């Protein structure tokens, strides 16, 4: 018994000692000591890269150093960086893996500690300023070789993670001075190779596309960015197609997750409550349906559409899309699938050269998928990420709407699609049945999306910027139709009704809105849309009866236009900041007021003569048709002119903040998703 107690006592005594440090930690401690570690061990660096990296310890150690300590061991840190780069050329794959992960820790650790330091100080701390150009050239060449060579997928993935880590270590990527060397030693061609090859695109396309989008945004307004130049002149079809496929699949995955959540909710107890109580729970339903937005992939799509005119063709390329509503519950997958929410998304469906002849597959393309994505994120703009996503979606649509080739695709009557946009649940309308949706040119879906936004966002926290963009997109599309004399068979009445209701909302909330916004600018854009229809409608409205319906709507809703005229007249005759913009609306209303003042007496006279208290629509239309000849309108100039989109300077602040947000998110995901060391070491242990 005494012996047992003695043993227990011995155990207690030994357990009070500090746990032994693993060897790699002891080696890190030698690096952080003042002396050169190779003095006592000439094989120090060879041995270090055979050890499993302790990322947490190394980063924490770097972060804990103060300025004076850094100066003392700067030579050792420079030496560690140098030997990491050297190890990337080793045949021993475990050394390459460990070197890549050590570089990740170095970039992150040094930047975390020295957020206030200048970029030059950080470069000096990592590499030594005099050797930085040479070191970074070697690093970028090694990464290029690994990405373009026969390396394993895991190794290529780790290279991309390192590059993403390097690009996002600072909150503002334009303050990351190390990226100057990534500009000089371009990896653009390596990214292209990944995107053009089916196999590498499936594994690495997502990271490659996000990396390219971020690099394009490095000091884009301050100097010549070679990634912008190269992306803008890129005309390699397989690469552009590959980029489109990556974006298409990422947005498809988002849409699928949203649809799954929507179907989940529709069958639940919550849905029953909603239908019973009306709109009380709608906000909660939306919250439950929210899926994290993907601004990074949206930024990549924007840069491709904005910078590269050749990418426009990619938007309309057909791909198979699984119809969720008709797919059997248990289907044997024809291709390998990846789990829900993995990054990068699976691109297997995109890799087939022939579309499968399957009744459960319908044709889709990137533009359709993007419009569906937009219809989801634009439903709720209260959240900052969704507001940014909605704004970026509208900016992308602005670029598309003013591109002639894109407009030709949108209006092509031989390219008809059934586009089921997501609609916000509202009390006064029923959910449209997807199967009743007709196949139409894609421009109809764009117009539907704009109308949907206009109708569903009239609220006190008014998203003025988004409304301006919506109305401008509609204007650009109508300008194209007028110029090309395209008679689009669209339910224009829905658009007119939405625009009139928007004016009604502006009038009802004049005081609240004027405290924050210039509502006269938006009102002017809306009135000039009506002026476009009045002046040029005969060149693009589908039938003469459409023109009659336009006049009918104006006369029917004359009270809104009369009230608007009274309001702008009142404001324009007073001195104040809104005098001039209100005056412009007064002048723009001249033809609408002429129509109202011409037809209203005729309609009243017709009713009196025929002893009818309330005329039917057909009777009013008959009066309109009979009295066109005596109507006098003024010709208004410049209705079919618009200011072309320009990122700089108007959008510069938005993109700066957007890229900052994306950078923070990517940095977080890179640190969370860095490939498991155990998996890597297991993979390469047999090679060693």
């Amino acid at each position: 018994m005494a012996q047992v107690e003695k043993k227990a006592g011995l155990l207690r005594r030994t357990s009070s000692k500090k746990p032994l440090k693993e060897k790699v930690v002891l080696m890190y401690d030698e690096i952080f000591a003042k002396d050169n570690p190779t003095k006592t061990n000439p094989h120090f660096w060879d041995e270090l890269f055979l050890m499993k990296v302790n990322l947490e310890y190394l980063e924490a150690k770097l972060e804990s150093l103060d300025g004076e300590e850094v100066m003392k061991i700067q030579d050792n840190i420079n030496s560690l960086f140098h030997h990491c780069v050297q190890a990337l050329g080793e045949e021993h794959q475990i050394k390459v893996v460990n070197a890549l992960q050590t570089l990740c820790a170095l970039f992150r650790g040094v930047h975390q500690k020295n957020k206030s330091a200048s970029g030059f100080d950080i470069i000096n701390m990592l590499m030594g300023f005099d050797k930085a150009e040479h070191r970074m050239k070697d690093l970028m060449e090694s990464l290029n070789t690994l990405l373009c060579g026969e390396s394993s997928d895991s190794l290529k993935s780790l290279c991309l993670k390192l590059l993403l880590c390097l690009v996002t270590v600072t909150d503002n990527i334009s303050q990351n001075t190390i990226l100057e060397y990534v500009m000089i030693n371009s990896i653009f061609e390596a990214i292209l190779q990944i995107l053009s090859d089916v196999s590498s695109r499936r594994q690495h396309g997502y990271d490659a596309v996000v990396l390219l989008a971020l690099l394009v945004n490095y000091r884009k307004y301050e100097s010549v960015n070679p990634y912008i130049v190269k992306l803008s002149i890129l005309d390699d079809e397989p690469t552009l197609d590959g980029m489109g496929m990556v974006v298409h699949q990422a947005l498809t995955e988002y849409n699928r997750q949203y649809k799954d959540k929507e179907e989940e909710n529709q069958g639940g107890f919550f849905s029953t409550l909603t239908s019973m109580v009306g709109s009380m729970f709608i906000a909660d339903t939306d919250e439950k349906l929210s899926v994290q937005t993907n601004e990074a992939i949206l930024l990549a799509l924007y840069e491709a559409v904005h910078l590269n005119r050749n990418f426009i063709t990619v938007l309309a390329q057909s791909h198979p899309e699984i119809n969720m509503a008709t797919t059997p519950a248990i289907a044997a997958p024809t291709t390998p699938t990846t789990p829900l929410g993995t990054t990068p998304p699976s691109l297997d469906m995109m890799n087939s050269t022939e579309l499968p002849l399957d009744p459960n597959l319908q044709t889709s393309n990137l533009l359709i998928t993007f419009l569906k994505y937009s219809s989801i994120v634009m439903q709720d703009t209260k959240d900052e990420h969704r507001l940014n996503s909605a704004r970026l979606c509208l900016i992308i649509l602005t670029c598309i709407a003013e591109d002639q080739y894109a407009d030709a695709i949108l209006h092509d009557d031989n390219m008809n699609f059934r586009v089921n946009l997501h609609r916000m649940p509202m009390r006064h309308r029923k959910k449209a049945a997807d199967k009743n949706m007709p196949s139409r040119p894609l421009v109809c879906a764009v117009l539907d999306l704009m109308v949907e936004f206009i109708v569903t966002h009239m609220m006190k926290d008014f998203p003025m910027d988004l409304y301006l963009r919506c109305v401008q997109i509609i204007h650009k599309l109508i300008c194209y139709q007028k110029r090309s004399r395209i008679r689009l068979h669209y339910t224009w009445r829905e658009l007119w009704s939405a625009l009139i209701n928007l004016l009604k909302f502006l009038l009802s909330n004049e005081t609240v809105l004027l405290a924050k916004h210039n509502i006269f600018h938006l009102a002017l854009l809306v009135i000039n849309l009506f002026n476009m229809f009045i002046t040029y409608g005969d060149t693009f409205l589908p039938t003469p009866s459409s023109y009659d319906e336009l006049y009918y709507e104006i006369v029917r809703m004359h009270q809104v236009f009369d009230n608007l005229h009274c309001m702008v007249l009142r404001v324009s005759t007073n001195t104040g900041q809104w005098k001039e913009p209100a005056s412009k609306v007064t002048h723009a209303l001249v033809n609408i007021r002429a129509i109202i003042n011409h037809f209203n007496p005729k309609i009243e006279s017709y009713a009196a003569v025929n002893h009818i208290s309330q005329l039917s629509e057909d009777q009013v239309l008959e009066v309109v048709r009979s009295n066109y000849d005596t109507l006098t309108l003024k010709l208004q100039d410049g209705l079919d002119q618009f200011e072309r989109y320009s990122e700089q300077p108007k959008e510069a602040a938005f993109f700066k903040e957007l890229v900052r947000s994306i950078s923070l998110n990517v940095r977080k995901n890179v640190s969370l998703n860095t490939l498991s060391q155990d998996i890597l070491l297991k993979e390469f242990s047999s090679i060693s």
Side-chain angles (χ1 to χ4, degrees), residues 439-463:
S439 287
R440 303 173 299 170
L442 284 170
V443 68
C444 295
V446 179
L447 289 168
D448 282 349
L449 183 63
M450 298 302 99
V451 169
E452 175 67 10
F453 183 86
I454 290 169
V455 168
T456 56
H457 288 77
M458 296 179 209
M459 50 197 179
K460 284 182 181 176
D461 191 12
F462 190 69

Side-chain angles (χ1 to χ4, degrees), residues 75 78 127-137 181:
D75 288 346
N78 290 174
M127 309 167 234
F129 202 72
D130 55 333
K131 299 186 182 97
E133 196 171 324
H134 181 59
R135 296 275 186 269
M136 284 303 295
K137 183 174 183 289
Y181 301 111

Side-chain angles (χ1 to χ4, degrees), residues 257 356 426 553 591 626 665:
Q257 287 188 36
M426 295 178 78
E553 281 300 309
N591 280 342
S626 308
N665 198 42

